[in-house]
C-alpha cells in the first residue's frame, strides 16, 4: 500500500509547539504526511516528496473560530441605523400573528454557508463552529439543511463542528415598544431530536472533518426542559454544547425573572457548565460568584470582541478572566471573518478595560485563537504544530508594506495584519487555499450571488417591521445621498435590483 505524499513547508518563521507553549523557529520547516504532522523545526532528516518554500512568511497553526459567522451578516444594516428593533430585524407582534416565514429558499440557506465558509478559509480559519441569525427564519434550522451544509464544508475542506440550531421560543416586539416571549416547547424538543439525528449520522463524517455539536440558540430562547434534555444528550454522546449567554442586560434580567438565577447560575443548576460547554459571550455576570462557577465547572468562554465593541460593550476583563483560570477561545460572530482583527481589537479593548498593558498580552490573544479553542473542543491535536497533531496549517505573508519593518512576526501581524494576509491553508493535510485562492471557488461569481441574496434579506425586513413599510426606508447610509432618490433608493444601485 502506497503511503500518502510527504510534504515539507519552509518559511522564514514557523510557530511550533514544544509540549507546553508555542515557540518560534526562524527559517523553520513543517513536514506532514497525509493528515498528520511529522516534524516541526529545522533540518528534517528524512525523505520528502515535495518541498514548498513560502519565503518571507509565518507558518502557524490554523485558527479556531468557535462563533464563526455562517451567514450573510446583517449587522452592517444596523450600524448607526437607530433602534434596530424598529427596522424589522426583530420579529414584531404583527409578524408573529400572521405566521413567521423563511426569508431564503433552501438553496439560498445552503449558499450563505458556502459564502461564509469561503470567507473563513480565506482568513486563515481552519476549524469553525458556525453561527447564524434566527430572526430571518420561519423557526430554526433543519436536519436536511445541515446535511447539505456538511457537504459544503467537506467540499471546501473546512473542519467544522455542525448541527442544526434549535430553540423553544423567540422574543418579539410589541406595539408599545416592550418585548414579550413566544414559546413553543414541542417545537424546541423536535429541533433537539433533529440535532441528535444529525450528530449520530454525521459526527466523524468525511474522514473526521465534520464533527457534531449541540447548538441551542440562546439561553433566553430555551425552556428548562429543552436545556435539561440538551445536557443529558451531551453527556450521552460526549457532544460539545454551545449556548450564547451573558450577552446583554436584557437577557440577564429576563433569565433572572423567568428562572430565578443569573444566566450562569441557571446553567450550573442544569449541569451545563462542564468541560463540554462553550459559552459566548460572558460579558454580563453577577461578578465573582458567576466567574467561580465557570472555573469550578470547567466551561469555556468564547470571546468575540469586535461585534460587542461596535455597540460600546466589552468584556471586563479578558486578563482577569484568564488569570482566574477560565479557558478563553475566540469567535468572529460578525463580518468580516477576520480573527486577526479580533485579536488586535481584543487586545486594545482589554487594555482599555484593565487600565494597563500588563494583564493581557498579544500572545494571550493568539493562544485563545489556537490553544484555547482546541481546549474548548477537547482536542489536543488542533491549534498547534507538533508531531502527531492534525496538519491544519496556515501561511501568512510577511512581505506586505502595511506590516512595516519586521521584528516579531506575530506582533506585526497583530498590530497591522489582515486576515487576507493568509496566502495558503492546509486542513487535514489537504491544500484548501494557495496564493490566496480558495480551491474551486470563483470569487467574483460568489460575491455576485451574495449581493443578490443580500437584497432578498433586506427586502424581508419589511415583513417583520410594524406596518410593513417600504424596505428601502428602513436603512440609512452613513453619508446622506445627494440625489433625489435619497434614502428610498437601493443602497447599491449598480448591483442591487430596483424591484
Amino acid at each position: 500500500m502506497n503511503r500518502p505524499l510527504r510534504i515539507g513547508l519552509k518559511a522564514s518563521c514557523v510557530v511550533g509547539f514544544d509540549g507546553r507553549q508555542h515557540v518560534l523557529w526562524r527559517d523553520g520547516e513543517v513536514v506532514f504526511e497525509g493528515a498528520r504532522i511529522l516534524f516541526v523545526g529545522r533540518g528534517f532528516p528524512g525523505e520528502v516528496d515535495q518541498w514548498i518554500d513560502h519565503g518571507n512568511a509565518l507558518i502557524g497553526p490554523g485558527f479556531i473560530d468557535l462563533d464563526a459567522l455562517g451567514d450573510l451578516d446583517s449587522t452592517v444594516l444596523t450600524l448607526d441605523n437607530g433602534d434596530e428593533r424598529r427596522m424589522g430585524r426583530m420579529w414584531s407582534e404583527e409578524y408573529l400573528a400572521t405566521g413567521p416565514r423563511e426569508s431564503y429558499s433552501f438553496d439560498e440557506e445552503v449558499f450563505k454557508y458556502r459564502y461564509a465558509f469561503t470567507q473563513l478559509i480565506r482568513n486563515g480559519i481552519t476549524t469553525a463552529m458556525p453561527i447564524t441569525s434566527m430572526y430571518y427564519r420561519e423557526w430554526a434550522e433543519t436536519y436536511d439543511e445541515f446535511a447539505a451544509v456538511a457537504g459544503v464544508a467537506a467540499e471546501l475542506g473546512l473542519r467544522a463542528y455542525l448541527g442544526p440550531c434549535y430553540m423553544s421560543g423567540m422574543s418579539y416586539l410589541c406595539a408599545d415598544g416592550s418585548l414579550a416571549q413566544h414559546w413553543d416547547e414541542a417545537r424546541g424538543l423536535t429541533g433537539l431530536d433533529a440535532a441528535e439525528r444529525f450528530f449520530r449520522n454525521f459526527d466523524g463524517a468525511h474522514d473526521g472533518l465534520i464533527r457534531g455539536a449541540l447548538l441551542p440558540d440562546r439561553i433566553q430562547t430555551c425552556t428548562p426542559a429543552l436545556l435539561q434534555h440538551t445536557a443529558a444528550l451531551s453527556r450521552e454522546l460526549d457532544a460539545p454544547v454551545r449556548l450564547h449567554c451573558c450577552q446583554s442586560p436584557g437577557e440577564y434580567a429576563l433569565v433572572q425573572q423567568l428562572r430565578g438565577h443569573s444566566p450562569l447560575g441557571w446553567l450550573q443548576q442544569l449541569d451545563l457548565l462542564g468541560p463540554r460547554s462553550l459559552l459566548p459571550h460572558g460579558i454580563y455576570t453577577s461578578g465573582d460568584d458567576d466567574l467561580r462557577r465557570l472555573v469550578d465547572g470547567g466551561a469555556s468562554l468564547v470571546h468575540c470582541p469586535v461585534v460587542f465593541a461596535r455597540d460600546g460593550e466589552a468584556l471586563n476583563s479578558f486578563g482577569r478572566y484568564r488569570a482566574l483560570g477560565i479557558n478563553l477561545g475566540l469567535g468572529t460572530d460578525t463580518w468580516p471573518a477576520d480573527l486577526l482583527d479580533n485579536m488586535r481589537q481584543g487586545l486594545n479593548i482589554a487594555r482599555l478595560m484593565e487600565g494597563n498593558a500588563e494583564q493581557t498580552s498579544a500572545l494571550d490573544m493568539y493562544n485563545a485563537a489556537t490553544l484555547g479553542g482546541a481546549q474548548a473542543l477537547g482536542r489536543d491535536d488542533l491549534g498547534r504544530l507538533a508531531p502527531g497533531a492534525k496538519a491544519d496549517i496556515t501561511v501568512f505573508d510577511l512581505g506586505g508594506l502595511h506590516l512595516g519593518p519586521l521584528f516579531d512576526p506575530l506582533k506585526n501581524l497583530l498590530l497591522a495584519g489582515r486576515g487576507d494576509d493568509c496566502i495558503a491553508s492546509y486542513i487535514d493535510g489537504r491544500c484548501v487555499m494557495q496564493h490566496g485562492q480558495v480551491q474551486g471557488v470563483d470569487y467574483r461569481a460568489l460575491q455576485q450571488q451574495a449581493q443578490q441574496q443580500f437584497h432578498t434579506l433586506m427586502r424581508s425586513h419589511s415583513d417583520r417591521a410594524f406596518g410593513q413599510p417600504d424596505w428601502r426606508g428602513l436603512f440609512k447610509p452613513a453619508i446622506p445621498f445627494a440625489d433625489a432618490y435619497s434614502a428610498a433608493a437601493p443602497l447599491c444601485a449598480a448591483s442591487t435590483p430596483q424591484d
Side-chain angles (χ1 to χ4, degrees), residues 6 12 34 76 101 127 168 244 255 302 342 349 356 361 387 419 422 477 493:
R6 183 174 291 174
S12 60
V76 67
R101 46 205 170 273
T127 298
S168 40
H244 288 70
V255 172
V302 183
N342 276 269
I349 292 164
N356 60 64
S361 70
C422 187

Side-chain angles (χ1 to χ4, degrees), residues 290-313:
D290 269 352
L291 298 184
R292 178 50 55 187
R293 291 183 173 104
L294 288 172
V295 174
D296 292 345
S300 296
L301 285 185
V302 183
H303 183 40
C304 305
V306 169
V307 69
F308 281 92
R310 289 177 183 167
D311 287 330
E313 298 171 295

Side-chain angles (χ1 to χ4, degrees), residues 220-265:
Q220 71 269 36
T221 64
C222 296
T223 58
L226 185 63
L227 291 183
Q228 287 165 351
H229 283 80
T230 295
L233 187 60
S234 172
R235 291 191 295 271
E236 177 186 343
L237 301 175
D238 191 27
V241 178
R242 186 190 63 199
L243 179 63
H244 288 70
C245 66
C246 310
Q247 62 179 327
S248 75
E251 171 224 292
Y252 189 98
L254 180 61
V255 172
Q256 277 199 315
Q257 173 191 333
L258 293 175
R259 315 302 174 203
H261 297 279
S262 70
L264 292 180

Side-chain angles (χ1 to χ4, degrees), residues 64-70 120 127-132 242 244 247 278 280-281 302-304 307-308 330-334:
I64 298 172
D65 188 341
L66 297 176
D67 212 33
L69 181 68
L120 294 172
T127 298
M129 185 179 276
I131 175 71
T132 67
R242 186 190 63 199
H244 288 70
Q247 62 179 327
L278 293 77
H281 300 273
V302 183
H303 183 40
C304 305
V307 69
F308 281 92
L330 285 186
T332 50
D333 197 16
T334 189

Side-chain angles (χ1 to χ4, degrees), residues 27 57 102 123 150 191 197 199 230 251 341 382 404 408 411 483:
D27 298 320
E102 299 286 3
N123 283 275
R197 182 159 66 103
F199 189 99
T230 295
E251 171 224 292
D341 185 39
L382 299 180
D408 175 330
K411 289 182 179 179
D483 55 34

Side-chain angles (χ1 to χ4, degrees), residues 157-487:
L158 180 68
R159 189 181 303 282
Y161 280 74
L162 300 176
C165 175
Y166 53 93
M167 62 189 188
S168 40
M170 175 64 85
S171 298
Y172 64 92
L173 183 66
C174 300
D176 63 4
S178 63
L179 292 180
Q181 312 303 311
H182 169 71
W183 299 106
D184 191 332
E185 181 80 271
R187 205 163 192 179
L189 294 172
T190 298
L192 177 60
D193 289 342
E196 178 183 357
R197 182 159 66 103
F198 180 89
F199 189 99
R200 295 187 185 278
N201 291 343
F202 283 90
D203 185 51
H206 300 286
D207 296 321
L209 201 66
I210 304 303
R211 298 295 298 271
L214 301 177
L215 306 174
D217 179 38
R218 288 165 289 165
I219 189 171
Q220 71 269 36
T221 64
C222 296
T223 58
L226 185 63
L227 291 183
Q228 287 165 351
H229 283 80
T230 295
L233 187 60
S234 172
R235 291 191 295 271
E236 177 186 343
L237 301 175
D238 191 27
V241 178
R242 186 190 63 199
L243 179 63
H244 288 70
C245 66
C246 310
Q247 62 179 327
S248 75
E251 171 224 292
Y252 189 98
L254 180 61
V255 172
Q256 277 199 315
Q257 173 191 333
L258 293 175
R259 315 302 174 203
H261 297 279
S262 70
L264 292 180
W266 188 40
L267 293 184
Q268 183 182 49
Q269 295 290 316
L270 296 167
D271 198 19
L272 276 171
L273 287 185
R276 301 301 275 154
S277 298
L278 293 77
L279 308 175
H281 300 273
I283 293 177
Y284 294 93
T285 72
S286 69
D288 289 344
D289 287 346
D290 269 352
L291 298 184
R292 178 50 55 187
R293 291 183 173 104
L294 288 172
V295 174
D296 292 345
S300 296
L301 285 185
V302 183
H303 183 40
C304 305
V306 169
V307 69
F308 281 92
R310 289 177 183 167
D311 287 330
E313 298 171 295
L315 188 71
N316 187 13
S317 72
F318 185 96
R320 178 164 173 257
Y321 280 35
R322 190 183 62 80
L324 287 171
I326 297 170
N327 182 55
L328 289 137
L330 285 186
T332 50
D333 197 16
T334 189
W335 177 88
D338 187 344
L339 273 183
L340 274 181
D341 185 39
N342 276 269
M343 286 182 235
R344 174 169 50 252
Q345 294 201 44
L347 178 64
N348 292 338
I349 292 164
R351 291 181 169 185
L352 284 169
M353 298 299 291
E354 293 156 7
N356 60 64
E358 284 74 50
Q359 289 181 258
T360 303
S361 70
L363 182 58
D364 292 334
M365 288 293 166
Y366 187 77
N367 283 340
T370 53
L371 300 173
Q375 181 178 330
L377 295 172
R379 300 286 298 265
D380 60 6
D381 59 348
L382 299 180
R384 70 209 69 198
L385 300 186
K390 286 288 189 179
D392 288 8
I393 305 165
T394 55
V395 183
F396 279 82
D397 178 45
L398 297 177
L401 185 65
H402 62 283
L403 291 176
L406 292 175
F407 157 65
D408 175 330
L410 182 58
K411 289 182 179 179
N412 283 76
L413 282 170
L414 260 66
L415 287 173
R418 306 186 296 253
D420 62 6
D421 287 322
C422 187
I423 55 173
S425 183
Y426 301 81
I427 303 178
D428 218 39
R430 170 187 169 188
C431 181
V432 299
M433 181 176 70
Q434 191 66 269
H435 308 300
Q437 175 63 53
V438 177
Q439 307 286 12
V441 177
D442 181 336
Y443 286 175
R444 182 178 179 86
L446 190 80
Q447 186 68 13
Q448 287 177 339
Q449 183 170 345
Q451 184 65 53
Q452 293 171 358
Q453 190 163 315
F454 197 67
H455 173 74
T456 300
L457 180 146
M458 293 174 68
R459 288 175 61 94
S460 76
H461 277 248
S462 177
D463 296 333
R464 290 181 297 274
F466 279 105
Q468 290 74 56
D470 189 320
W471 64 274
R472 295 172 179 85
L474 292 173
F475 316 110
K476 61 183 181 182
I479 301 173
F481 289 109
D483 55 34
Y485 291 109
S486 188

